[in-house]
Every structure is written in C-alpha cells, then in structure tokens.
Amino acid sequence: MVISVAGCGRKTESAPALTPALAKIRFQTDWFPEPEHGGYYQALAKGYYATEGLDVEILPGGPNAQVMSSVAVGRADLGMTNGDDVIVAVARGVPIKMVAAEMQRDAQGILFHTAHPVRDLRDLKGRTVMAGSGSTWLEVVRKKLGVEFNQVPLVGDLARFMNNPGFVQQCFVTNEPFFARQRGADVGVLLIASDTYEPYRVMFTGNEFLARHPDVVGKFVRASLRGWADYLTGDPAPGNKLLAARRNDLPPEFMAYSIKAMNEYKLVSGDPAKGEFTGQLTAARLEKQIRLLQEVGVLDKAVAVSDVATFEFIPKGQ
Amino acid sequence: MERLSVMKKLPPLLVWGLPVASGVLFVALWYGVRAVSGLQSWILPTPLEILQAAWREHTRLLAAAGHTAVGALGGFTLAAALGFVTSLVLGVSRSLRAGLYPWLLVLQMTPVIVLTPVIMLWAGPGLPGIITITWLISYFPIVANMTQGLLSSDMNHVALFRMANASRLQEMLLLRVPSAMPYYLAGLRIAATLAPIGAIFGEYMAGNASGGTGGLGFLVYSYNTQIKIPALFATALTSCLLGFMFVAAVSWLNWLVLHKWHDSFERNDH
C-alpha cells in the first residue's frame, strides 16, 4: 500500500522530521537475504530510505520468487532481478520497467577447478556444465559463439562439482567460490558477462506504480544507490547486521568475501574507464542486449528500449 | 491387524532386539563403507559426525523444525477440514460423486511441482504458498478414505434407518459419518506422514525464509550451498523426527476417537 507523499513538494533540504507519514514501499528481492542485496539493507539500516520519506520493507525472495510477477500484480511495489529477464518479461506483456541498474554486470560466473581452467567461454567446448535451465547465457554461448557442451540442470549444490575435477558449474562469483575453497577445492571463476553479453542487474517497478508515484520511485532509487555505494566502499556492518538478523546461517567471512568480489569485479560501480557508474543504464547497451536476445532466439519479437526502461531516475554521471 | 498380531507372538526381547540389531548392523556397514572408500566427511559423513552436526546446529534446526511444523500443521488442518467437507458432498449423492470425483483425481495426478509457480503467484510466497502446497499433497488421501468410509456403512444399519423413516441428513450424520470415522482417521494418518514432507518440499520450492528463519526446506538450500553435508543429514534426521511426531499425534487422536468402540482396539473389560 502506498500513501502518497505529495505533501512534501520539492525538496530543498531533506528533513524527514517534517514528513507527516512515511510512504510505505515493499521491495521484492530475488533470493533469500544475502550480501548481493547488501546495498538495500545498508540503505535501510542507515536510514537513507527514511531520509527520503520512505518506509521500505524488503521482502525476502527464494526459489520460484516470481519477482516480476509479484511486482506486476502489485504484491510488491518495486523489485530487483536480472536485466535480461525484465526485457523478456516486457516482451511477453508483463507491465514493468527498469528504473536503475543495481549492478552494471550480472554476478553470474563459471566455477571451475584450476586444474581444468575455463579462461574464456569458448573453453566450455565439449565439457559438462551444470547450469540453470533456460539461462540466456547458455544460448549465447551455443548460438553466438558456436560452442557445444553438455548441460545438466543446476540444483544449487556443489557436491558433484567437488567430486569431479573436470566439472564446471554456473555460480555467482560472489558466492560459491567461497564455500568451495572453504572445503579445500582449488577453484577459479570466470565472470560470464563479457563484451558480447553483459546483462545488468536492475531495479524495476510496475508501469502503473511508475505512472502514479514517479516521485517515490525516484526517492527509492536515490536512497538505494546511496546504500550500495556506502555498503561497498564504507563500513558494511549496519547492512550486514540486518542481513544476519534475517538469516542466521551466513558466516561473516562469507559476507566479507561477497563484498570483496563485488568490488573486485566492479559489479556495482562498473568500469569508470568505460564511462560507467553506479546505477547507470544506457539505451545503447539495452538496445544491444535486446538485439542479442533476438539473435539467439530468447526473444521472438523486437521490443523498444523505451518499453523496457525509463532513464529519468538515473543519476547524472560522475 | 495381521502384522500386529504376528509381532505380538514374538517374545518382547526380539521385538525390541531385532530393530536394534539391524540398526547396529547398518551403522557398522556405514562405518565400513566410509573406512574402505576413504570418502571425506562432506561426501559421506559418519553417524557420529551427523550427531555432532545436529548438536552444533541444534538452535537452527529446532527453529527451522518449528517453522516447518507451522506450515505442516496449517496444510494438514486445511486438508483435514476440507477433506471432511468434500467427502460429505461426495457421499451425499451418486451424481455429485460422478460429477466431481474425476476432477479430484485430476488434481491429485497433477504434480505439485508444476503448480508451484502458479501457487506462488496466487497464494504468495512463504507461509501461504507452503500451506497451499502441503494442503494439495495431503488432501486427497483424506477425501478418498473418508468417501469410501461414508459408502461403506453396514447395509443392515442403513436398512434400519430407512425403515424408521430417518431423513437423509439423519442417516448421514448419525450413521454414515460415525461409521466412516475409522476410514477418516486412516486418511488422516496417511496425510500426517505427507504433511511434514509437503511442508519441507513447499519451503524448498516456495519458501522465502521470512521472519529471520526459514524452515527445514530452507536449511537444505543453506547447508547444500555451504557444503555442510553432515548438517544436511542432521536436517534429514530432524525432518524424520518431525514426521514421527505428526504420526504419533494422529495415532493418539485415532485412539481417542476409536478405542471405546472399534474392533481394532482390544478392550480389557472382559
């Protein structure tokens, strides 16, 4: 439910004390709480949302979280997921739009044993790969790079990987390598995103919500990006504390690893040399992604960039 | 029951001794396989390592079991109530039964895993979705048993009711429902074994670990991704215990309802 904050008018000084009631916002994440959602929890913990006049509830996701459908039917106001998925959903008629990037590059990677390295996606040739059925990158590797490999369905555990030195498996560069190494495996990881295929992770909202509450969306994006910057470059303790309270099975060393990986791969900040910055979405890159999705057969019809994203909330480049 | 009477003929020492012996043999075999194969603990943990993991993780396991119990109980209660009502409807008339029963079969035959995404969309993630999944899994055995029970009343009793000009409602409530109780309870007992499994499956497919702790299905994810295999086995152990608790509760209910009159309970009053 949303209580409009129209009374606030244009902000000159952020003064939350003057706001009569905070606008209630439900934000749907795509998985159980984890450091990959850290920026949002940091924004919540440090009061960045409250400063913007928002009372944000972060809804935990999980298997079959149906993030996009939840937002489309109004069970949540905003959500986050892979940018590709939003493009495909929009093409199928789901009324949602990206409003900002969460990560300039998706954190998906290939986990391998260093004895049998994967330096490039072409190295997957002839190998057995455990990967999420229907993942776009599989089609890209097959159709765009012409690389054939055996695929086995991803079940989210590392048992088979740990047992078989030739095995490779889809992972998050921010996640599985930590646990595999903890169990003594000598593993490496390759980020799937490359110049050919570089999906964003994005924040998105429903078209109806966007039309009715553009101000709220803008505030949410601003506070979330502030949270992300602070989580990754400042002290992540406040966000981690919230995460730990919601999920008591994540060791602190894992959270530290995850944050380090997000920084190392510049997942959130992007590459300044390429003119990228936190939150940025560009029409050119989305256009390129749409064309790629069509080319590999994931999209059966074209979709306009203006239908999948709005750029009005993207901060001006630093 | 025949099997029970066979058990009774065994000396009590064997009744207790045989399972213990087979258990000991199994554990010995387990240690043997581990020793011979040289497998590490994260591939094949020993029973001791599992118990140690259970102890180390006991706060998490207990909280998760509580979470799962809520989902299982919710789904089970819903199935017990709706199953009862559905059976009454099916038991009332032959045409209703003919018209509806095939659709119940269709529902039963549809794998829940296929319906999960839709359930998530309609019922919502977390507890509502988990309860719906548990209900779907445990509903049918109750309906099937109870309906069978309603149709299996002693024909002499039915004839007596009809001769006395009893109404259909009287026949249903005073004769058919009481005499169907053993069937209903048998259905509940099957459902009681299915409900915790349904809830764990629901958590695995539709859980969101809201409220700071997920159920046992969530722990499966957590321990799996973190390669805490002994803890994963400990989760299985906990799930098993939860299942036994459910069945024990229904068995107690069964005794409560039936022991005064039903043949399956021997009375000591003569």
Side-chain angles (χ1 to χ4, degrees), chain A residues 64 66 75 157 183 248-249, chain B residues 60 117 121 205 222 224 227:
Chain A
N64 292 301
Q66 311 249 40
R75 188 172 283 136
D157 69 77
R183 289 290 175 280
N248 58 14
D249 63 323
Chain B
R60 225 168 261 163
L121 203 52
M205 297 301 295
S222 173
N224 220 347
I227 329 181

Side-chain angles (χ1 to χ4, degrees), chain A:
Chain A
M1 235 216 302
V2 176
I3 302 144
S4 173
V5 285
C8 291
R10 178 164 299 149
K11 289 161 51 92
T12 43
E13 282 274 322
S14 50
L18 296 178
T19 316
L22 298 181
K24 273 197 175 305
I25 291 291
R26 293 154 312 165
F27 177 64
Q28 178 70 55
T29 53
D30 63 343
W31 193 247
F32 303 119
E34 55 183 4
E36 289 93 329
H37 306 143
Y40 307 108
Y41 285 97
Q42 185 85 351
L44 193 60
K46 301 257 302 215
Y48 297 163
Y49 290 126
T51 308
E52 295 279 359
L54 304 178
D55 172 14
V56 172
E57 183 189 0
I58 302 177
L59 304 173
N64 292 301
Q66 311 249 40
V67 183
M68 294 178 290
S69 310
S70 284
V71 170
V73 302
R75 188 172 283 136
D77 305 308
L78 292 112
M80 46 80 46
T81 192
N82 184 306
D84 277 356
D85 295 340
V86 174
I87 295 175
V88 173
V90 169
R92 305 256 193 282
V94 180
I96 53 174
K97 259 190 200 70
M98 308 178 195
V99 294
E102 169 200 291
M103 292 189 188
Q104 292 297 306
R105 254 156 222 90
D106 191 69
Q108 279 182 56
I110 308 279
L111 183 69
F112 55 83
H113 293 270
T114 44
H116 300 266
V118 179
R119 295 185 190 90
D120 182 271
L121 289 175
R122 288 180 179 83
D123 291 345
L124 293 177
K125 191 170 175 191
R127 310 262 306 247
T128 297
V129 183
M130 191 190 247
S133 306
S135 299
T136 304
W137 72 268
L138 293 170
E139 297 307 309
V140 173
V141 174
R142 282 198 183 109
K143 294 186 181 152
K144 186 92 180 170
L145 305 180
V147 171
E148 275 310 316
F149 52 87
N150 307 314
Q151 186 203 337
V152 293
L154 187 69
V155 285
D157 69 77
L158 287 166
R160 210 166 147 187
F161 176 83
M162 296 295 287
N163 262 329
N164 179 349
F167 202 68
V168 285
Q169 124 171 30
Q170 180 180 327
C171 71
F172 277 91
V173 297
T174 45
N175 194 312
E176 283 90 341
F178 173 85
F179 295 111
R181 285 184 188 130
Q182 202 186 35
R183 289 290 175 280
D186 187 7
V187 304
V189 64
L190 170 76
L191 194 68
I192 291 173
S194 65
D195 289 339
T196 320
Y197 174 65
E198 40 180 8
Y200 293 108
R201 281 183 90 71
V202 299
M203 302 171 215
F204 66 94
T205 188
N207 291 349
E208 205 186 309
F209 189 82
L210 181 62
R212 279 170 43 195
H213 306 286
D215 52 330
V216 174
V217 174
K219 289 169 180 177
F220 179 84
V221 168
R222 195 158 49 220
S224 300
L225 294 180
R226 202 177 151 202
W228 270 112
D230 194 58
Y231 186 64
L232 293 178
T233 59
D235 176 14
N240 283 347
K241 201 173 151 210
L242 263 190
L243 275 172
R246 292 176 180 218
R247 201 176 149 182
N248 58 14
D249 63 323
L250 295 178
E253 314 82 66
F254 166 71
M255 297 205 204
Y257 167 82
S258 212
I259 291 169
K260 190 167 143 257
M262 283 188 267
N263 280 327
E264 237 164 55
Y265 288 95
K266 301 192 177 78
L267 295 179
V268 173
S269 65
D271 187 353
K274 293 182 181 170
E276 294 168 350
F277 53 87
T278 305
Q280 182 195 41
L281 288 171
T282 72
R285 237 176 94 180
L286 287 173
E287 184 70 57
K288 192 176 152 199
Q289 283 167 24
I290 293 170
R291 269 204 310 275
L292 180 68
L293 291 175
Q294 265 188 289
E295 211 174 308
V296 299
V298 174
L299 266 189
D300 43 18
K301 62 173 193 236
V303 50
V305 170
S306 58
D307 284 336
V308 301
T310 173
F311 301 95
E312 58 183 299
F313 308 111
I314 310 296
K316 301 284 163 268
Q318 281 88 353

Side-chain angles (χ1 to χ4, degrees), chain B residues 47 86 91 98 114 136 148 186 200 261:
Chain B
T86 311
V114 182
L136 267 175
Q148 187 60 41
I200 292 168
W261 62 276

Side-chain angles (χ1 to χ4, degrees), chain B residues 96-221:
Chain B
L96 270 176
R97 199 156 56 244
L100 296 179
Y101 206 76
W103 297 114
L104 281 173
L105 281 177
V106 168
L107 185 68
Q108 163 74 5
M109 293 295 171
T110 311
V112 177
I113 196 163
V114 182
L115 298 177
T116 307
V118 189
I119 292 170
M120 289 289 282
L121 203 52
W122 292 349
L127 204 54
I130 292 164
I131 287 181
T132 309
I133 288 172
T134 309
W135 164 69
L136 267 175
I137 289 178
S138 43
Y139 172 64
F140 188 76
I142 299 177
V143 176
N145 273 281
M146 176 73 178
T147 307
Q148 187 60 41
L150 290 174
L151 302 178
S152 306
S153 299
D154 188 328
M155 282 330 281
N156 293 323
H157 293 166
V158 175
L160 187 68
F161 265 64
R162 299 243 162 115
M163 272 194 306
N165 275 331
S167 70
R168 286 294 277 279
L169 187 69
Q170 283 171 320
E171 183 185 316
M172 181 57 87
L173 295 182
L174 300 177
L175 173 63
R176 289 190 184 270
V177 169
S179 68
M181 270 305 125
Y183 292 84
Y184 182 59
L185 287 158
L188 287 190
R189 232 175 327 175
I190 299 171
T193 62
L194 296 176
I197 297 172
I200 292 168
F201 174 75
E203 286 160 353
Y204 192 75
M205 297 301 295
N208 63 359
S210 59
T213 169
L216 294 165
F218 164 75
L219 284 188
V220 173
Y221 267 111

Side-chain angles (χ1 to χ4, degrees), chain B residues 254-262 265-267:
Chain B
N254 189 53
W255 176 85
L256 201 69
V257 174
L258 299 184
H259 77 281
K260 289 227 172 83
W261 62 276
H262 199 255
F265 290 89
E266 274 181 24
R267 270 156 292 171

